[in-house]
Amino acid sequence: MRTPAAMIVGLVLCPCGLLLTLTGTLAPNWRQVSLVPDQPIDLVLEQGIWDMCRERQSSHDRHCGQADELGYFEQVPVRVAQGMMPTSLVLTLLGLVVAALGVRCWQKEPRHLLAGVAGLVLLLSGLLSLVPASWYTQELWALPAPFGSTLVVGYSLVLSYLGSCLEILGGLALALSFHHCCKERRAPKLPPSPVLEAGPSVGTSQPACLAPRAALAPAPPSHALLLGHLRAGWKQDQGPGLNLCKLLKSLPCSSSHNCAKAVLG
């Protein structure tokens, strides 16, 4: 069986979203502060959720690890992003592992239930990274910054947005595997074949090896016929003992006892 297209889409989008989200989490460029008063005109401050950097655009001289003099890292949106973004990365890794075990491209049949669970995990991870990115964007101009400076959205925030959307789309694609599970459970079970239950139809010949043993066994001689042969042998003095033994062996026990009483009596 070929891998369903929805699973392939999920396995392509989710790793891409993981890389974008990882880059957005680590890179210190969620917000750019330029045109700072009393500073060189080409100076740009880059602020992330873990670090702050200063860069001179004319000389590309960059220095990170700047002191937080305005209390930027103490703001609630930044603290929330510091907690939720790493959690989203861990969930994305877990979801990809479960998705690989569920899709099983090396096998004929995928595990649809496991792939659907992986889709839910990846969907949750995308939402966990989308919430702090949206909150930070809303509070972008309210976070502490030097007075009179210009604030611009950084590329790390854009990458976090894109990664979150890709993870959500990939999770939804994998979650479609639940539809296949429900379809299998609702499928009616086929009744057993009537040919196998009824056996061969009337008029069809059976091989001799399959015929009942009772039909193949010869019918035992009747009692009247046996008595007639015994009496004829007795009258002709042929020694009825031998004939009596042979004929009595072909009868059941009760019948042979009755015949012997009839002949001898």
Side-chain angles (χ1 to χ4, degrees):
M1 177 179 179
R2 300 175 61 182
T3 303
M7 292 184 179
I8 297 177
V9 171
L11 288 181
V12 172
L13 294 182
C14 289
C16 295
L18 174 62
L19 293 177
L20 295 177
T21 307
L22 179 62
T23 305
T25 302
L26 298 179
N29 200 327
W30 283 51
R31 185 177 74 166
Q32 290 183 354
V33 183
S34 59
L35 302 178
V36 181
D38 302 330
Q39 296 291 337
I41 194 172
D42 61 342
L43 178 66
V44 176
L45 296 177
E46 297 177 354
Q47 298 174 333
I49 61 176
W50 306 104
D51 198 3
M52 298 176 63
C53 299
R54 296 169 57 98
E55 182 179 0
R56 297 287 298 271
Q57 294 182 345
S58 59
S59 61
H60 298 286
D61 188 12
R62 183 183 181 89
H63 299 280
C64 294
Q66 300 296 313
D68 184 16
E69 299 177 354
L70 300 177
Y72 168 80
F73 292 113
E74 300 299 326
Q75 301 300 311
V76 177
V78 180
R79 299 293 296 273
V80 170
Q82 290 176 350
M84 297 185 69
M85 295 300 290
T87 305
S88 172
L89 294 175
V90 173
L91 280 180
T92 304
L93 289 175
L94 179 61
L96 288 176
V97 172
V98 178
L101 297 177
V103 175
R104 298 196 308 171
C105 299
W106 60 91
Q107 298 288 342
K108 292 183 178 179
E109 291 290 337
R111 297 178 181 177
H112 296 277
L113 180 60
L114 202 58
V117 172
L120 293 181
V121 174
L122 292 169
L123 177 62
L124 178 60
S125 67
L127 292 176
L128 285 178
S129 59
L130 183 62
V131 169
S134 302
W135 194 359
Y136 189 95
T137 304
Q138 184 180 0
E139 300 293 332
L140 179 69
W141 288 269
L143 295 175
F147 180 78
S149 58
T150 303
L151 305 179
V152 182
V153 175
Y155 69 87
S156 297
L157 189 59
V158 177
L159 294 181
S160 300
Y161 263 116
L162 292 177
S164 303
C165 295
L166 291 181
E167 290 177 5
I168 292 175
L169 292 177
L172 289 176
L174 288 173
L176 293 177
S177 302
F178 284 124
H179 173 69
H180 193 278
C181 296
C182 298
K183 196 174 181 180
E184 288 181 348
R185 291 184 178 180
R186 292 179 182 177
K189 296 182 178 179
L190 297 177
S193 176
V195 177
L196 297 177
E197 286 189 351
S201 58
V202 180
T204 57
S205 59
Q206 292 184 352
C209 59
L210 299 179
R213 185 175 296 181
L216 297 177
S222 61
H223 293 175
L225 182 61
L226 291 175
L227 291 177
H229 283 296
L230 288 175
R231 288 173 180 171
W234 187 276
K235 291 180 180 180
Q236 295 177 5
D237 297 331
Q238 294 179 356
L242 181 61
N243 294 333
L244 180 63
C245 293
K246 289 181 179 180
L247 292 174
L248 288 179
K249 287 181 180 179
S250 63
L251 295 174
C253 179
S254 59
S255 300
S256 60
H257 179 68
N258 296 333
C259 289
K261 288 177 62 177
V263 173
L264 297 177

